[in-house]
Amino acid sequence: RRNRQRLKVARIHARIAASRANFLHKTTTALLRRADVIAIEDLNVKGMVKNHHLAGAISDVGMGEFRRQIEYKAAWYGRKVAVADRWAPTSKTCSVCQVVQDKMPLSVRTWTCPDCGTRHDRDVNAAINILKFSTLGNRGIQARGAGQELVGSCIAHLR
């Protein structure tokens, strides 16, 4: 009986792994078919998994596999992958005037720039800055518009 239960559990785990792989393949393919440039942040996934509170969630998402698939599929489809440095202050930098905030805890989801007064959603602002801080920067981004228009359309597709 123990062996039968072990096999049942193994089948369940295999089904979960297959559904995660299927989701990653469909998502990465859809992203690369829609955009000519994909900007990602170079994350220290191994270091993030060491945080015991977040390890399960980070492992479930498969960030390393997501990046690997983005990179090899971009080569297939002839797309560009722009990588931002992991130490770039993407969330704390105002995407309009480039002023960097000193501190910003993770609990802050929206903030207003003290210099220009622009109100930012933390994640949308970080997405814009990841494209700006990436290896491509502001050059080579004339594929489907320029600058903010491209970033806005990419963020709209992700929602």
Side-chain angles (χ1 to χ4, degrees), residues 1 16 20 25 32 37 39 53 56-57 68 72-73 75 94 97 101 121 126 133 137 139-140 146 149 154 157:
R1 287 183 187 170
I16 291 169
R20 283 184 183 146
H25 278 291
L32 285 162
V37 177
H53 299 288
R68 187 188 71 81
Y72 87 78
K73 288 180 183 183
C94 175
C97 67
Q101 303 299 311
D121 176 83
F133 292 152
R139 63 185 194 281
E149 294 84 14
C154 290
H157 284 301

Side-chain angles (χ1 to χ4, degrees), residues 51-64:
N51 180 342
H52 299 294
H53 299 288
L54 300 174
I58 291 170
S59 298
D60 284 347
V61 173
M63 288 186 211

Side-chain angles (χ1 to χ4, degrees), residues 11-24:
R11 274 189 225 108
I12 291 169
H13 284 292
R15 190 175 302 131
I16 291 169
S19 71
R20 283 184 183 146
N22 184 39
F23 171 78
L24 282 174

Side-chain angles (χ1 to χ4, degrees), residues 2-159:
R2 182 179 187 280
N3 199 31
R4 278 193 303 236
Q5 291 296 33
R6 188 182 56 79
L7 290 174
K8 282 183 183 179
V9 171
R11 274 189 225 108
I12 291 169
H13 284 292
R15 190 175 302 131
I16 291 169
S19 71
R20 283 184 183 146
N22 184 39
F23 171 78
L24 282 174
H25 278 291
K26 286 181 178 180
T27 304
T28 54
T29 301
L31 281 173
L32 285 162
R33 284 184 178 166
R34 279 194 286 224
D36 294 330
V37 177
I38 300 289
I40 58 176
E41 193 170 11
D42 183 27
L43 297 173
N44 181 11
V45 178
K46 285 184 182 179
M48 291 167 70
V49 172
K50 290 180 183 176
N51 180 342
H52 299 294
H53 299 288
L54 300 174
I58 291 170
S59 298
D60 284 347
V61 173
M63 288 186 211
E65 179 65 13
F66 183 80
R67 179 177 177 173
R68 187 188 71 81
Q69 286 185 20
I70 287 285
E71 288 175 343
Y72 87 78
K73 288 180 183 183
W76 278 359
Y77 289 108
R79 308 293 198 248
K80 292 181 182 177
V81 176
V83 181
D85 183 42
R86 73 176 59 167
W87 303 113
T90 56
S91 295
K92 300 190 306 182
T93 303
C94 175
S95 59
V96 177
C97 67
Q98 307 304 314
V99 171
V100 180
Q101 303 299 311
D102 292 332
K103 291 184 178 181
M104 187 176 297
L106 284 174
S107 61
V108 175
R109 303 314 305 162
T110 58
W111 59 280
T112 304
C113 178
D115 274 16
C116 66
T118 306
R119 186 154 175 79
H120 296 288
D121 176 83
R122 182 188 183 108
D123 296 330
V124 173
N125 183 57
I128 294 167
N129 285 330
I130 286 171
L131 184 59
K132 287 181 180 179
F133 292 152
S134 68
T135 52
L136 289 178
N138 285 328
R139 63 185 194 281
I141 305 176
Q142 299 298 322
R144 293 186 186 158
Q148 297 288 2
E149 294 84 14
L150 177 68
V151 173
S153 66
C154 290
I155 291 169
H157 284 301
L158 291 175
R159 288 187 177 174

